[in-house]
Amino acid sequence: MARILIVEDEASIRLPLEYILRQEGHQVAWAESGEEGLRLAERLQPELVLLDLMLPGLDGFEVLQQLKARQKPPRVLILSARGREVERAKGLALGAEAYLVKPFGLEEMLAEVRRLLE
Amino acid sequence: MNLLRFAAALALGLVLLLGFWLATYYLLFSALSPEGQTLLQKALYERVPALLLLVLLLVGVLGLMLQPLFLGYLAASRALAREAEVILEANPKHRLRLKGPWELRELGQLINRLAERHEAREEELKARIEAAKRTLLEERNRLAALLGQLPQGVILANRLGQVVLYNPIAKGFLPGLALGKSLYGLLDRHLLVHALEAPGLPFRLEDFRLQALKLEEAGGGFVLMLTQPEAEQDLGALFRQLRARTGALRSLAEVLPRVPPAEQGPFLALLRQEAERLAELLRQEEAPRREAQSLKALALALARALEDRLGFAPGLDVSEETYVAVDRAALLQALGPLAREAEGFYIQGRPWKGLARLELFPVAQVPPAFLQAVSQQGGEAWLEGERLVLLLPSLAEPPAPASRAGERPPTFDLRLLEPPDRELLQRPLRSLLYTAFDLETTGLDPERDSIIAIGAVRLLGDRLLEESFEALADPGRPIPIAATQIHDLTWEDLQGKPRLEEVLPQFYRFQEETLLLAHNGAFDLAFLQKAGQRQGLAFRGPLLDTLLLGQVLFPEAPSHSLEALCTRFGVPVLGRHTALGDTLMTAEVFCRMLPLLEGRGLVTLGQTLEAMGKTPLARLRYA
């Protein structure tokens, strides 16, 4: 069981993730914007952040950079519709542990989560 | 001046007379014996008062004789010369008033006859020039139509970056565009330099794509082309949207089986929402590119296309106007051999039940391609007897001007192609850009009163440009009756208009990089500078003043009011005491003054300002 933070502005993506991660037994919190995500991450100290890139306000890449700049950075799994080679490379270069391009399967996502929490 | 010359002549006459007397006295005196000399001296000394009286009398007689000569002949001939100059340089219809001595009247008559003949020649020449101009104008219009029809925005700039030509589409992209204005004020300098270094490579800006091309000929200017960002540019965004939507659908579909039926409600709602968003996305992409146009224009295009096939022009009747959005080219292409062999063919159009309805007849059968094209455009077509009915969705409002802008000609002035490098003061008046302007105010004191109307037009040398500015401003308080009597504006008229704080910056941008021109401009400039100060806008001189220029040109004229100048130059006096009306008159007067100033050797701005500064009024008011 782990503390997981989902930063995703679209309910239609967030809700299934949240549901299935809770089923897996994790403690799940979520934020709808980059700023809110950073605040929650500060307060909850999650082990893993599922991060969308196209967020209102602060851009996902910036959120990633700020998360990774902390003393105990959480692991970050990017979930994004931005699937170009360069975008994936940038995400990983900025410190994300994994990058899933939408549309992804829930099992695929769970496998990544499990791998990252090991 | 005349008085001075008169006094000098008088003094000269007196000196001559006295000299003659003294010489006579000396000759007489030296011929006499000593006794005779003593006698003569004594006789003269005794008559000194009488002699002085005689001298005064002589001065008076001399003055009376010289006065008509100087103040009549000389001043009148000077006035004659000034008036003749007006005929020659400014207003060929002007005639000399015949007054003064008969010799001058005769001369005046002669000049009037010469002017008569000169005017006739001018008219003849003008007619010939007009004919040549018409030909030139046709060529110009053809070029303008070509530029106007271009789907891109086009800007031609000289090597200093000043705008020489632009078409309406370019103006749509860059609303601040105006002739003579520097592009560097409108676009980032670095960006322009970059674009010029990579010709042919379009730069993506916020609202448009920019392509630059350096001109080696024509003095080394450049051409900018501005286009809408193409659809392909947004393909990436479309894919991202598609990925996000399918991503959500997939997650929802996968999670649903794991959710107990009682809790499925929110998931199903999201599923429906996502499916709808996806469908909407696809609908948007599928929509063909349709252009908004008037039903009349569409009917006319159909008629032209049919004319080629029929060999005669179809009858056209679109009585009431409405607007439709169609891909005209696709429709025309699918029209095919529509018309049957007939004596005549007719197209009728009208708004119908909130739609646009076109009827074409007689038609025997409809090509399937046409039906398909119509349905692709969101319309329907069918045959009613011999009539082909075409129904199209009607637009709620006419297309925005931007989409019709293509029909309007571009704006240009090719003289700007050769920008003078010299300092401002050395530049000829003819080459300068001016903003002629006039203000209406609530009173005469720049400290206390405020500006309530601004009118302005731009000029390049003696050419009025089609760029004008007109704004009213709410002073926020009642206007004194004395002021209302001049300009007819009351506070009630101005309530609801923008405040000066809003209007002044707009005017500031309008006049930027030009020279200010006004009649009795010291007054207006004082108001502008005071109001500008409060908003951090520095209105800078120098200012050309037609009132002072009038003094330079016609020092003897009794009045240099705007009306007097207009009458002199044959400028119609219209709309007096509206800011724009007075501005236009000032501009017209200035245009006619230019050749006269040049005739006086006042060619450059520096020379003109200097002459203006020497006029008595300038010394009074600008001091």
Side-chain angles (χ1 to χ4, degrees), chain A residues 44-104:
Chain A
L44 304 174
Q45 298 291 332
E47 279 109 348
L48 177 66
V49 176
L50 304 189
L51 180 63
D52 181 28
L53 288 181
M54 294 187 291
L55 292 168
L58 209 55
D59 171 50
F61 281 124
E62 279 181 58
V63 177
L64 172 61
Q65 274 178 303
Q66 292 196 28
L67 285 174
K68 287 297 179 183
R70 304 155 80 103
Q71 269 200 334
K72 247 185 86 186
R75 271 151 287 177
V76 176
L77 168 57
I78 291 177
L79 307 173
S80 176
R82 288 160 74 162
R84 288 189 297 143
E85 192 76 42
V86 282
E87 286 160 336
R88 277 197 300 235
K90 179 179 175 185
L92 297 175
L94 292 179
E97 274 70 21
Y99 196 118
L100 278 180
V101 177
K102 294 173 191 173
F104 48 78

Side-chain angles (χ1 to χ4, degrees), chain A residues 10-13 15-17 19-20 23-24 54 81-84 87 101-108 110, chain B residues 239-252 254-255 258-260 263 266-267 270 273-274 277:
Chain A
E10 295 199 53
S12 49
I13 298 198
L15 200 62
L17 292 182
Y19 190 88
I20 204 150
Q23 263 198 346
E24 287 279 301
M54 294 187 291
R82 288 160 74 162
R84 288 189 297 143
E87 286 160 336
V101 177
K102 294 173 191 173
F104 48 78
L106 285 180
E107 279 309 326
E108 195 184 354
L110 280 178
Chain B
F239 267 103
R240 281 200 292 276
Q241 278 292 322
L242 281 173
R243 281 208 196 94
R245 301 282 70 82
T246 42
L249 281 173
R250 188 169 171 185
S251 300
L252 284 163
E254 286 181 17
V255 83
R258 304 179 190 211
V259 183
E263 292 172 35
F267 292 92
L270 283 172
Q273 178 196 323
E274 280 305 309
R277 284 168 78 178

Side-chain angles (χ1 to χ4, degrees), chain B residues 254-307:
Chain B
E254 286 181 17
V255 83
L256 260 177
R258 304 179 190 211
V259 183
E263 292 172 35
Q264 278 181 356
F267 292 92
L268 287 172
L270 283 172
L271 198 64
R272 240 188 322 272
Q273 178 196 323
E274 280 305 309
E276 265 161 32
R277 284 168 78 178
L278 186 62
E280 175 59 28
L281 200 65
L282 295 174
R283 255 201 303 281
Q284 267 175 24
E285 277 314 301
E286 201 195 26
R289 315 226 162 264
R290 296 172 196 157
E291 203 192 331
Q293 56 200 289
S294 77
L295 189 62
K296 249 181 208 161
L298 177 65
L300 196 66
L302 282 171
R304 285 219 183 110
L306 285 169
E307 187 179 346

